[in-house]
Every structure is written in C-alpha cells, then in structure tokens.
Coordinates of all heavy atoms in Angstrom, one line a residue:
M114 N 104.7 38.6 12.8 CA 104.0 38.3 11.6 C 102.6 38.8 11.7 O 102.1 38.8 12.8 CB 104.0 36.8 11.4 CG 105.2 36.1 11.1 SD 105.8 36.2 9.4 CE 105.2 34.7 8.8
T115 N 102.1 39.4 10.6 CA 100.7 39.9 10.6 C 99.8 39.0 9.9 O 100.1 38.5 8.9 CB 100.8 41.3 9.9 OG1 101.8 42.1 10.6 CG2 99.4 42.0 10.0
Q116 N 98.6 38.9 10.4 CA 97.5 38.0 9.8 C 96.7 38.9 8.9 O 96.4 40.1 9.2 CB 96.7 37.3 10.9 CG 97.5 36.4 11.6 CD 96.7 35.8 12.7 OE1 95.7 36.4 13.2 NE2 97.1 34.6 13.2
Y117 N 96.3 38.3 7.7 CA 95.4 39.0 6.8 C 94.3 38.1 6.3 O 94.5 36.9 6.1 CB 96.3 39.4 5.6 CG 97.4 40.4 5.8 CD1 98.7 39.9 6.1 CD2 97.1 41.8 5.9 CE1 99.7 40.8 6.4 CE2 98.3 42.6 6.3 CZ 99.5 42.1 6.5 OH 100.5 43.0 6.8
A118 N 93.1 38.8 6.1 CA 92.0 38.1 5.4 C 92.0 38.6 4.0 O 92.1 39.8 3.8 CB 90.7 38.4 6.2
V119 N 91.9 37.7 3.0 CA 91.9 38.0 1.7 C 90.6 37.5 1.1 O 90.4 36.3 1.1 CB 93.0 37.5 0.9 CG1 93.0 37.8 -0.6 CG2 94.3 38.0 1.5
V120 N 89.8 38.4 0.6 CA 88.4 38.0 0.0 C 88.6 38.5 -1.4 O 88.7 39.7 -1.7 CB 87.2 38.7 0.7 CG1 86.0 38.2 0.0 CG2 87.2 38.2 2.2
A121 N 88.6 37.6 -2.4 CA 88.7 37.9 -3.8 C 87.5 37.4 -4.5 O 87.1 36.2 -4.4 CB 90.1 37.3 -4.4
Y122 N 87.0 38.2 -5.5 CA 85.9 37.9 -6.4 C 86.3 37.8 -7.8 O 87.0 38.6 -8.3 CB 84.7 38.8 -6.2 CG 84.0 38.7 -4.8 CD1 84.4 39.5 -3.8 CD2 83.1 37.7 -4.6 CE1 83.8 39.5 -2.5 CE2 82.5 37.5 -3.4 CZ 82.8 38.5 -2.4 OH 82.2 38.3 -1.1
D123 N 85.9 36.7 -8.5 CA 86.3 36.5 -9.8 C 85.7 37.4 -10.8 O 84.6 38.0 -10.5 CB 85.9 35.0 -10.3 CG 86.6 34.0 -9.5 OD1 87.5 34.2 -8.6 OD2 86.3 32.8 -9.7
Y124 N 86.2 37.5 -12.0 CA 85.6 38.2 -13.1 C 84.3 37.5 -13.3 O 84.1 36.3 -13.0 CB 86.5 38.2 -14.4 CG 87.6 39.2 -14.2 CD1 88.9 38.8 -13.7 CD2 87.5 40.4 -14.8 CE1 89.9 39.7 -13.6 CE2 88.7 41.3 -14.7 CZ 89.8 40.9 -14.2 OH 90.9 41.8 -14.1
T125 N 83.4 38.2 -14.0 CA 82.0 37.6 -14.3 C 81.8 37.4 -15.8 O 80.7 36.9 -16.2 CB 81.0 38.5 -13.7 OG1 81.1 39.8 -14.3 CG2 81.0 38.5 -12.2
D126 N 82.8 37.5 -16.6 CA 82.6 37.3 -18.0 C 82.4 35.9 -18.3 O 82.7 34.9 -17.4 CB 83.8 37.9 -18.8 CG 85.1 37.3 -18.4 OD1 85.7 37.8 -17.4 OD2 85.5 36.3 -19.0
A127 N 82.1 35.5 -19.5 CA 81.7 34.1 -19.9 C 83.0 33.2 -19.8 O 82.8 32.0 -19.6 CB 81.3 34.1 -21.3
E128 N 84.1 33.7 -19.9 CA 85.4 32.8 -19.8 C 86.0 32.8 -18.4 O 87.0 32.1 -18.2 CB 86.5 33.3 -20.8 CG 86.1 33.2 -22.2 CD 85.1 34.3 -22.8 OE1 85.2 35.5 -22.2 OE2 84.3 34.0 -23.6
A129 N 85.3 33.4 -17.4 CA 85.9 33.5 -16.1 C 86.2 32.2 -15.4 O 87.3 31.9 -14.9 CB 85.1 34.4 -15.2
L130 N 85.2 31.3 -15.5 CA 85.3 30.0 -14.8 C 86.5 29.2 -15.6 O 87.2 28.4 -14.9 CB 84.1 29.2 -14.8 CG 84.0 27.8 -14.1 CD1 84.5 28.0 -12.6 CD2 82.7 27.2 -14.2
D131 N 86.5 29.3 -16.9 CA 87.5 28.6 -17.6 C 88.9 29.0 -17.2 O 89.8 28.2 -17.0 CB 87.3 28.8 -19.1 CG 86.1 28.1 -19.7 OD1 85.6 27.1 -19.0 OD2 85.7 28.4 -20.8
R132 N 89.1 30.4 -16.9 CA 90.4 30.9 -16.5 C 90.7 30.4 -15.2 O 91.8 30.0 -14.8 CB 90.4 32.4 -16.5 CG 90.5 33.0 -17.9 CD 90.9 34.5 -17.9 NE 90.0 35.2 -17.0 CZ 88.9 35.8 -17.4 NH1 88.4 35.6 -18.7 NH2 88.1 36.5 -16.6
R133 N 89.7 30.3 -14.3 CA 89.9 29.8 -12.9 C 90.4 28.4 -12.9 O 91.4 28.0 -12.3 CB 88.6 29.9 -12.1 CG 88.7 29.3 -10.7 CD 87.4 29.4 -9.9 NE 87.5 30.6 -9.0 CZ 88.0 30.6 -7.8 NH1 88.6 29.5 -7.3 NH2 88.0 31.6 -7.1
L134 N 89.7 27.5 -13.7 CA 90.1 26.1 -13.8 C 91.5 26.0 -14.5 O 92.3 25.1 -14.1 CB 89.0 25.4 -14.5 CG 87.7 25.4 -13.8 CD1 86.7 24.6 -14.7 CD2 87.8 24.7 -12.5
A135 N 91.8 26.8 -15.4 CA 93.1 26.7 -16.1 C 94.3 27.1 -15.2 O 95.4 26.6 -15.3 CB 93.1 27.6 -17.4
N136 N 94.0 27.9 -14.2 CA 95.0 28.4 -13.3 C 95.0 27.7 -12.0 O 95.8 28.0 -11.1 CB 94.9 29.9 -13.1 CG 95.4 30.7 -14.3 OD1 96.6 30.8 -14.5 ND2 94.5 31.1 -15.1
R137 N 94.0 26.8 -11.8 CA 93.8 26.3 -10.4 C 95.0 25.4 -9.9 O 95.4 25.6 -8.7 CB 92.5 25.4 -10.4 CG 92.0 25.0 -9.0 CD 90.6 24.5 -9.2 NE 90.0 24.3 -7.8 CZ 90.0 23.1 -7.2 NH1 90.4 22.1 -7.8 NH2 89.6 23.1 -5.9
D138 N 95.5 24.6 -10.8 CA 96.7 23.7 -10.2 C 97.8 24.6 -9.8 O 98.4 24.3 -8.7 CB 97.1 22.7 -11.3 CG 96.0 21.6 -11.6 OD1 95.2 21.4 -10.7 OD2 96.1 20.9 -12.6
A139 N 98.1 25.6 -10.5 CA 99.2 26.5 -10.2 C 98.9 27.3 -8.9 O 99.8 27.4 -8.0 CB 99.6 27.4 -11.3
H140 N 97.7 27.7 -8.8 CA 97.3 28.4 -7.7 C 97.4 27.5 -6.4 O 97.9 27.9 -5.3 CB 95.8 28.9 -7.7 CG 95.1 29.3 -6.5 ND1 95.4 30.4 -5.9 CD2 94.2 28.7 -5.8 CE1 94.7 30.5 -4.8 NE2 93.9 29.5 -4.7
L141 N 96.9 26.3 -6.5 CA 97.0 25.3 -5.3 C 98.3 24.9 -4.9 O 98.6 24.9 -3.7 CB 96.0 24.2 -5.6 CG 94.5 24.4 -5.7 CD1 93.8 23.2 -6.0 CD2 94.0 25.1 -4.4
A142 N 99.2 24.8 -5.9 CA 100.6 24.5 -5.7 C 101.2 25.6 -4.8 O 102.0 25.4 -3.9 CB 101.4 24.2 -7.0
G143 N 100.9 26.9 -5.3 CA 101.5 28.0 -4.5 C 100.9 28.1 -3.1 O 101.7 28.4 -2.2
V144 N 99.7 27.8 -2.9 CA 99.1 27.8 -1.6 C 99.7 26.7 -0.7 O 100.0 26.9 0.4 CB 97.5 27.7 -1.6 CG1 96.9 27.5 -0.3 CG2 96.9 28.9 -2.4
R145 N 99.9 25.6 -1.4 CA 100.6 24.5 -0.6 C 101.9 24.9 -0.1 O 102.3 24.6 1.0 CB 100.6 23.2 -1.4 CG 99.2 22.5 -1.5 CD 99.3 21.2 -2.3 NE 98.0 20.6 -2.4 CZ 97.3 20.7 -3.6 NH1 97.8 21.3 -4.6 NH2 96.1 20.2 -3.6
E146 N 102.7 25.6 -0.9 CA 104.0 26.0 -0.6 C 103.9 27.0 0.6 O 104.7 27.0 1.5 CB 104.7 26.6 -1.8 CG 106.1 27.1 -1.5 CD 107.0 26.0 -1.0 OE1 106.9 24.8 -1.3 OE2 107.9 26.4 -0.1
L147 N 102.9 28.0 0.4 CA 102.8 29.0 1.5 C 102.4 28.2 2.9 O 102.9 28.6 3.9 CB 101.7 29.9 1.2 CG 102.1 30.9 0.1 CD1 100.8 31.9 -0.2 CD2 103.2 31.8 0.5
A148 N 101.6 27.2 2.8 CA 101.2 26.4 4.0 C 102.5 25.8 4.6 O 102.7 25.8 5.8 CB 100.2 25.3 3.6
K149 N 103.4 25.3 3.8 CA 104.6 24.7 4.4 C 105.5 25.7 5.1 O 106.1 25.4 6.0 CB 105.5 24.1 3.1 CG 104.9 22.8 2.6 CD 105.8 22.3 1.5 CE 105.2 21.2 0.7 NZ 105.9 20.8 -0.4
Q150 N 105.3 26.9 4.6 CA 106.2 28.1 5.2 C 105.4 28.7 6.4 O 105.9 29.6 7.0 CB 106.4 29.2 4.1 CG 107.2 28.7 3.0 CD 107.2 29.8 1.9 OE1 106.9 31.0 2.1 NE2 107.6 29.3 0.7
G151 N 104.2 28.2 6.6 CA 103.4 28.7 7.8 C 102.7 30.1 7.3 O 102.1 30.7 8.3
K152 N 102.6 30.4 6.1 CA 102.0 31.6 5.7 C 100.4 31.5 5.3 O 99.8 32.4 5.3 CB 102.8 32.3 4.5 CG 104.2 32.6 4.9 CD 105.0 33.2 3.7 CE 106.4 33.6 4.2 NZ 107.1 34.0 3.0
F153 N 100.1 30.3 4.9 CA 98.7 30.1 4.6 C 98.0 29.4 5.9 O 98.5 28.4 6.2 CB 98.5 29.2 3.4 CG 97.0 28.7 3.1 CD1 96.2 29.6 2.5 CD2 96.7 27.5 3.5 CE1 94.9 29.2 2.3 CE2 95.4 27.0 3.3 CZ 94.4 27.9 2.7
L154 N 97.0 30.1 6.4 CA 96.4 29.6 7.6 C 95.0 28.8 7.3 O 94.8 27.8 7.9 CB 96.1 30.7 8.5 CG 97.3 31.6 8.8 CD1 96.9 32.8 9.7 CD2 98.4 30.7 9.6
S155 N 94.2 29.3 6.4 CA 92.9 28.6 6.0 C 92.4 29.3 4.8 O 92.7 30.4 4.5 CB 91.9 28.7 7.2 OG 91.5 30.1 7.4
G156 N 91.5 28.6 4.2 CA 90.8 29.2 3.0 C 90.2 28.3 2.1 O 90.2 27.1 2.3
G157 N 89.5 28.8 1.0 CA 88.9 28.0 0.0 C 88.0 28.8 -0.9 O 88.2 30.1 -0.8
A158 N 87.2 28.2 -1.7 CA 86.5 28.9 -2.8 C 85.2 29.5 -2.2 O 84.6 29.0 -1.2 CB 86.2 28.0 -3.9
I159 N 84.8 30.6 -2.7 CA 83.5 31.2 -2.4 C 82.6 30.6 -3.5 O 82.9 30.7 -4.6 CB 83.5 32.7 -2.5 CG1 84.5 33.2 -1.3 CG2 82.1 33.3 -2.3 CD1 84.7 34.8 -1.5
L160 N 81.4 30.1 -3.1 CA 80.5 29.5 -4.1 C 79.2 30.4 -4.2 O 78.8 31.0 -3.2 CB 80.1 28.2 -3.6 CG 81.2 27.1 -3.2 CD1 80.6 25.8 -2.7 CD2 82.1 27.0 -4.5
N161 N 78.6 30.3 -5.4 CA 77.3 31.1 -5.6 C 76.2 30.1 -5.3 O 76.5 29.0 -4.7 CB 77.2 31.6 -7.0 CG 77.0 30.4 -8.0 OD1 77.0 29.3 -7.7 ND2 77.1 30.8 -9.3
D162 N 75.0 30.5 -5.3 CA 73.8 29.8 -5.0 C 73.7 28.3 -5.7 O 73.1 27.5 -5.2 CB 72.5 30.5 -5.1 CG 72.5 31.6 -4.2 OD1 73.1 31.7 -3.2 OD2 71.6 32.6 -4.5
E163 N 74.4 28.3 -6.9 CA 74.3 27.0 -7.6 C 75.6 26.2 -7.3 O 75.7 25.1 -7.9 CB 74.3 27.4 -9.1 CG 73.0 28.0 -9.6 CD 72.8 29.4 -9.3 OE1 73.9 30.2 -9.4 OE2 71.7 29.9 -8.8
G164 N 76.4 26.6 -6.4 CA 77.6 25.8 -6.0 C 78.7 26.0 -7.0 O 79.8 25.3 -6.8
R165 N 78.8 27.0 -7.8 CA 79.8 27.4 -8.7 C 80.8 28.3 -8.0 O 80.4 29.2 -7.3 CB 79.3 27.9 -10.0 CG 80.4 28.0 -11.1 CD 79.7 28.5 -12.4 NE 80.4 29.9 -12.6 CZ 79.7 31.0 -13.0 NH1 78.5 31.0 -13.0 NH2 80.5 32.0 -13.2
M166 N 82.2 28.0 -8.2 CA 83.2 28.9 -7.7 C 83.2 30.2 -8.3 O 83.2 30.4 -9.5 CB 84.5 28.2 -7.9 CG 84.8 27.0 -7.1 SD 86.4 26.2 -7.4 CE 86.2 25.6 -9.1
I167 N 83.1 31.3 -7.4 CA 83.0 32.6 -7.9 C 84.1 33.6 -7.2 O 84.1 34.8 -7.4 CB 81.6 33.3 -7.7 CG1 81.2 33.3 -6.2 CG2 80.6 32.6 -8.6 CD1 80.0 34.1 -6.0
G168 N 84.9 33.0 -6.4 CA 85.9 33.7 -5.7 C 86.6 32.9 -4.6 O 86.5 31.7 -4.6
S169 N 87.4 33.6 -3.7 CA 88.2 33.0 -2.8 C 88.2 33.7 -1.5 O 88.1 35.0 -1.5 CB 89.6 32.9 -3.3 OG 89.7 32.1 -4.6
N170 N 88.3 32.9 -0.4 CA 88.4 33.5 0.9 C 89.6 32.9 1.7 O 89.5 31.6 1.7 CB 87.2 33.4 1.7 CG 87.1 33.9 3.0 OD1 87.9 34.8 3.4 ND2 86.3 33.4 3.8
A171 N 90.6 33.6 2.1 CA 91.7 33.0 2.9 C 92.3 33.8 3.9 O 92.1 35.1 3.9 CB 92.7 32.6 1.8
H172 N 92.9 33.1 4.8 CA 93.7 33.8 5.8 C 95.1 33.5 5.6 O 95.5 32.3 5.5 CB 93.3 33.3 7.2 CG 91.9 33.8 7.5 ND1 90.8 32.9 7.6 CD2 91.3 35.0 7.8 CE1 89.7 33.4 7.9 NE2 89.9 34.8 8.0
F173 N 96.0 34.5 5.7 CA 97.4 34.4 5.5 C 98.2 35.1 6.6 O 97.6 35.9 7.4 CB 97.9 35.1 4.1 CG 97.3 34.4 3.0 CD1 96.2 35.0 2.4 CD2 97.9 33.3 2.4 CE1 95.6 34.4 1.3 CE2 97.4 32.7 1.3 CZ 96.2 33.3 0.7
C174 N 99.5 34.8 6.7 CA 100.4 35.4 7.8 C 101.6 35.7 7.1 O 102.3 34.9 6.6 CB 100.6 34.3 8.9 SG 101.5 35.1 10.3
F175 N 101.9 37.0 7.0 CA 103.1 37.4 6.3 C 103.8 38.5 7.2 O 103.2 39.0 8.2 CB 102.8 38.3 5.0 CG 102.4 37.3 3.8 CD1 101.1 36.9 3.6 CD2 103.5 36.9 2.9 CE1 100.9 36.1 2.5 CE2 103.2 36.1 1.9 CZ 101.9 35.6 1.7
N176 N 105.1 38.8 6.9 CA 105.8 39.7 7.8 C 105.2 41.1 7.8 O 105.2 41.7 8.8 CB 107.3 39.7 7.3 CG 108.1 38.6 7.7 OD1 107.8 37.8 8.7 ND2 109.1 38.3 6.9
D177 N 104.7 41.5 6.6 CA 104.1 42.8 6.5 C 103.3 42.9 5.2 O 103.2 41.9 4.4 CB 105.1 43.9 6.5 CG 106.2 43.7 5.5 OD1 106.0 43.2 4.4 OD2 107.3 44.1 5.8
R178 N 102.6 43.9 5.0 CA 101.7 44.1 3.9 C 102.5 44.0 2.6 O 102.0 43.5 1.6 CB 100.9 45.4 4.0 CG 100.0 45.7 2.8 CD 99.0 44.6 2.6 NE 98.3 44.8 1.4 CZ 97.0 45.4 1.3 NH1 96.4 45.8 2.3 NH2 96.5 45.5 0.0
Q179 N 103.7 44.6 2.6 CA 104.5 44.5 1.4 C 104.8 43.2 0.9 O 104.9 42.9 -0.3 CB 105.8 45.4 1.6 CG 105.6 46.9 1.7 CD 105.1 47.3 3.1 OE1 105.2 46.6 4.1 NE2 104.6 48.5 3.2
A180 N 105.0 42.2 1.9 CA 105.3 40.8 1.6 C 104.0 40.2 1.0 O 104.2 39.4 0.0 CB 105.9 40.2 2.8
L181 N 103.0 40.5 1.5 CA 101.6 40.0 0.9 C 101.4 40.5 -0.5 O 101.1 39.8 -1.4 CB 100.5 40.3 1.9 CG 99.0 40.1 1.3 CD1 98.8 38.6 1.1 CD2 98.0 40.6 2.3
D182 N 101.7 41.8 -0.7 CA 101.5 42.4 -2.0 C 102.4 41.7 -3.0 O 102.1 41.6 -4.2 CB 101.7 43.9 -1.9 CG 100.5 44.6 -1.2 OD1 99.4 44.0 -1.1 OD2 100.7 45.7 -0.8
A183 N 103.7 41.5 -2.5 CA 104.6 40.9 -3.4 C 104.2 39.5 -3.9 O 104.5 39.1 -5.1 CB 106.0 40.8 -2.8
W184 N 103.7 38.7 -2.9 CA 103.1 37.4 -3.2 C 102.0 37.6 -4.2 O 101.9 36.9 -5.3 CB 102.6 36.7 -2.1 CG 101.8 35.5 -2.4 CD1 102.3 34.4 -2.8 CD2 100.4 35.4 -2.2 NE1 101.2 33.5 -3.1 CE2 100.0 34.2 -2.7 CE3 99.4 36.2 -1.8 CZ2 98.8 33.7 -2.7 CZ3 98.1 35.9 -1.8 CH2 97.8 34.6 -2.2
L185 N 101.1 38.5 -4.1 CA 100.0 38.7 -5.0 C 100.5 39.0 -6.4 O 99.8 38.6 -7.3 CB 99.1 39.8 -4.5 CG 98.1 39.4 -3.3 CD1 97.4 40.6 -2.8 CD2 97.1 38.3 -3.9
E186 N 101.5 39.7 -6.5 CA 102.0 40.0 -7.9 C 102.3 38.8 -8.8 O 102.2 38.8 -10.0 CB 103.3 40.9 -7.8 CG 102.9 42.3 -7.3 CD 104.2 43.2 -7.2 OE1 105.3 42.7 -7.8 OE2 104.1 44.2 -6.7
S187 N 102.6 37.7 -8.1 CA 103.0 36.4 -8.9 C 101.9 35.4 -8.7 O 102.0 34.3 -9.3 CB 104.3 35.9 -8.5 OG 104.3 35.6 -7.2
E188 N 100.8 35.6 -7.9 CA 99.8 34.7 -7.7 C 99.0 34.3 -9.0 O 98.6 35.3 -9.7 CB 98.8 35.1 -6.6 CG 97.4 34.7 -6.5 CD 97.3 33.2 -6.4 OE1 98.0 32.5 -5.7 OE2 96.5 32.6 -7.3
P189 N 98.9 33.0 -9.4 CA 98.3 32.7 -10.7 C 96.9 33.2 -10.9 O 96.5 33.6 -11.9 CB 98.3 31.2 -10.7 CG 99.5 30.8 -9.8 CD 99.5 32.0 -8.7
Y190 N 96.1 33.4 -9.8 CA 94.8 33.9 -10.0 C 94.8 35.4 -10.2 O 93.8 35.9 -10.8 CB 93.9 33.6 -8.7 CG 93.3 32.2 -8.7 CD1 93.5 31.2 -9.8 CD2 92.5 31.8 -7.7 CE1 93.0 30.0 -9.7 CE2 91.9 30.5 -7.7 CZ 92.2 29.6 -8.7 OH 91.7 28.4 -8.7
M191 N 95.8 36.1 -9.9 CA 96.0 37.5 -10.3 C 96.5 37.6 -11.6 O 96.0 38.3 -12.5 CB 96.9 38.3 -9.2 CG 96.4 38.3 -7.8 SD 94.9 39.4 -7.8 CE 95.6 41.0 -8.1
T192 N 97.7 36.9 -12.0 CA 98.3 37.1 -13.2 C 97.4 36.4 -14.3 O 97.5 36.7 -15.5 CB 99.7 36.4 -13.3 OG1 99.5 35.0 -12.9 CG2 100.6 37.1 -12.3
G193 N 96.6 35.4 -14.0 CA 95.7 34.9 -14.9 C 94.4 35.3 -15.1 O 93.5 34.8 -15.7
R194 N 94.2 36.6 -14.5 CA 92.9 37.3 -14.7 C 91.7 36.5 -14.1 O 90.6 36.5 -14.8 CB 92.7 37.8 -16.1 CG 93.6 38.9 -16.5 CD 93.2 39.5 -17.8 NE 91.9 39.2 -18.2 CZ 90.9 40.2 -18.2 NH1 91.1 41.4 -17.8 NH2 89.7 39.9 -18.6
V195 N 91.9 35.9 -13.0 CA 90.8 35.1 -12.3 C 90.1 36.0 -11.4 O 88.8 36.3 -11.3 CB 91.3 33.8 -11.7 CG1 90.1 33.2 -10.8 CG2 91.9 32.9 -12.7
W196 N 91.0 36.6 -10.5 CA 90.4 37.6 -9.5 C 90.3 39.0 -10.0 O 91.2 39.6 -10.5 CB 91.3 37.6 -8.2 CG 91.3 36.4 -7.4 CD1 90.3 35.4 -7.3 CD2 92.3 36.0 -6.5 NE1 90.7 34.5 -6.5 CE2 91.9 34.8 -5.9 CE3 93.5 36.5 -6.1 CZ2 92.7 34.1 -5.0 CZ3 94.3 35.9 -5.1 CH2 93.9 34.7 -4.6
E197 N 89.0 39.5 -10.0 CA 88.8 40.9 -10.4 C 88.9 41.8 -9.3 O 89.5 43.0 -9.4 CB 87.4 41.0 -11.0 CG 87.1 42.4 -11.5 CD 85.8 42.5 -12.2 OE1 84.8 41.7 -11.9 OE2 85.6 43.4 -13.1
R198 N 88.3 41.5 -8.1 CA 88.3 42.5 -7.0 C 88.9 41.7 -5.8 O 88.5 40.6 -5.4 CB 86.9 42.8 -6.6 CG 86.2 43.8 -7.6 CD 84.8 44.0 -7.2 NE 84.0 42.8 -7.1 CZ 83.1 42.4 -6.2 NH1 82.8 43.3 -5.2 NH2 82.4 41.3 -6.2
V199 N 89.9 42.3 -5.1 CA 90.5 41.8 -3.9 C 90.5 42.7 -2.8 O 90.9 43.8 -2.9 CB 92.0 41.3 -4.3 CG1 92.6 40.7 -3.1 CG2 92.0 40.4 -5.4
D200 N 89.9 42.2 -1.7 CA 89.7 43.0 -0.6 C 90.7 42.4 0.6 O 90.6 41.2 0.8 CB 88.3 43.1 0.1 CG 88.2 44.0 1.3 OD1 89.0 44.9 1.4 OD2 87.3 43.7 2.1
I201 N 91.6 43.2 1.1 CA 92.5 42.7 2.1 C 92.4 43.5 3.4 O 92.4 44.7 3.3 CB 94.0 42.8 1.5 CG1 94.2 42.0 0.2 CG2 95.1 42.4 2.6 CD1 95.4 42.3 -0.5
R202 N 92.3 42.7 4.4 CA 92.2 43.4 5.8 C 93.1 42.7 6.8 O 93.3 41.4 6.8 CB 90.7 43.3 6.3 CG 89.7 43.9 5.4 CD 89.8 45.3 5.4 NE 88.8 45.8 4.5 CZ 88.6 47.1 4.1 NH1 89.5 48.0 4.7 NH2 87.8 47.5 3.3
E203 N 93.7 43.5 7.6 CA 94.5 42.9 8.7 C 93.6 42.3 9.7 O 92.5 43.0 10.0 CB 95.4 44.0 9.3 CG 96.4 43.4 10.4 CD 97.3 44.4 10.9 OE1 97.7 45.3 10.2 OE2 97.7 44.3 12.1
V204 N 93.8 41.2 10.2 CA 92.9 40.5 11.1 C 93.7 40.0 12.3 O 95.0 39.9 12.2 CB 92.1 39.4 10.5 CG1 91.1 39.9 9.4 CG2 92.9 38.3 10.0
K205 N 93.0 39.6 13.3 CA 93.7 38.8 14.5 C 92.8 37.6 14.7 O 91.7 37.8 15.3 CB 93.8 39.7 15.7 CG 94.5 38.9 16.8 CD 95.2 40.0 17.7 CE 96.0 39.3 18.8 NZ 97.2 38.7 18.4
L206 N 93.3 36.5 14.2 CA 92.4 35.3 14.2 C 92.4 34.6 15.7 O 93.4 34.7 16.4 CB 93.0 34.2 13.3 CG 92.9 34.6 11.8 CD1 93.5 33.6 10.9 CD2 91.5 34.8 11.3
F207 N 91.3 34.1 16.1 CA 91.1 33.4 17.4 C 91.9 32.1 17.3 O 91.8 31.4 16.3 CB 89.7 33.2 17.6 CG 89.4 32.3 18.7 CD1 89.6 32.7 20.0 CD2 88.9 31.0 18.5 CE1 89.4 31.9 21.2 CE2 88.7 30.2 19.6 CZ 88.9 30.6 20.9
D208 N 92.7 31.9 18.3 CA 93.4 30.7 18.5 C 92.8 29.8 19.6 O 92.9 30.1 20.7 CB 94.9 30.9 18.8 CG 95.7 29.6 18.8 OD1 95.1 28.5 18.8 OD2 96.9 29.6 19.0
P209 N 92.0 28.7 19.3 CA 91.2 28.0 20.2 C 92.2 27.2 21.2 O 91.8 26.7 22.2 CB 90.4 27.1 19.4 CG 91.2 26.9 18.1 CD 91.8 28.2 17.8
N210 N 93.5 27.1 20.8 CA 94.5 26.3 21.5 C 95.3 27.2 22.5 O 96.1 26.7 23.3 CB 95.5 25.6 20.6 CG 94.7 24.6 19.7 OD1 93.9 23.9 20.2 ND2 95.0 24.7 18.5
A211 N 95.0 28.5 22.5 CA 95.8 29.4 23.3 C 95.1 29.6 24.6 O 94.0 29.4 24.8 CB 95.9 30.8 22.7

C-alpha cells in the first residue's frame, strides 16, 4: 500500500462554501468508509484567517495511484465542484509506534 498526501483547495466563487456544505455529509460518509477500510489515515479542513473552510488536507493509503484516482472520480467534493485544485504527493508517514 502506498501513502498519499492530498491537499485540495476549494473554488473561490460566491457559492463555493454553500457547495461545500451541501456535499459535506456525503463527503464525510465516504471518508468514514475509507477509514473502516484502513485507507483514510488523517485529515481535516484547511481554514482561512477567519476560520472559514477553504480546502482539505488528508493522508490516504491506497494500493496505487490508479486506485486513488478512481476514488477521486466519485468523491463528492470533486463531483460537487467543491475542490478546484488538488495536489497529490506520495509520502511516507512517520509511525511513532514503530
């Protein structure tokens, strides 16, 4: 399994936050399912200086990049036009228990 860091920034139009909130429950349900499968490792919202959600930062573990890309194709924040820019990097996370 390969670990990935995903940093995604939301669209900045006037309706962007409304789209995020409209898709949030479906997004979180999907993340919870990935966590049960051991694929979601950590993550949360990126906040601006006013504390408003403007993006997401997460660590995932997938068999390969194609599996991650396949998940992204159905991710509600992608299909719901929440995330405008997504940066994905392969990482090796530190395990404090190892």
Side-chain angles (χ1 to χ4, degrees):
M114 296 279 265
T115 305
Q116 296 175 334
Y117 298 94
V119 176
V120 179
Y122 290 94
D123 295 359
Y124 284 88
T125 57
D126 58 273
E128 293 80 31
L130 183 59
D131 290 338
R132 285 194 308 275
R133 174 178 266 274
L134 296 175
N136 286 281
R137 190 165 190 263
D138 287 343
H140 164 74
L141 293 176
V144 170
R145 285 184 183 99
E146 182 57 34
L147 289 177
K149 288 178 188 173
Q150 299 171 17
K152 294 178 181 176
F153 172 78
L154 305 175
S155 67
I159 298 171
L160 307 177
N161 66 9
D162 292 339
E163 291 78 41
R165 193 175 114 227
M166 294 179 285
I167 59 165
S169 304
N170 177 25
H172 294 110
F173 296 95
C174 189
F175 282 91
N176 286 334
D177 53 36
R178 176 61 191 260
Q179 291 79 16
L181 171 62
D182 290 341
W184 165 73
L185 279 173
E186 288 180 15
S187 63
E188 157 53 49
Y190 278 2
M191 293 295 291
T192 61
R194 291 188 20 103
V195 175
W196 289 338
E197 180 177 29
R198 292 177 299 140
V199 180
D200 184 29
I201 300 169
R202 302 289 175 186
E203 187 175 328
V204 297
K205 183 149 182 79
L206 297 175
F207 170 71
D208 182 353
N210 299 311

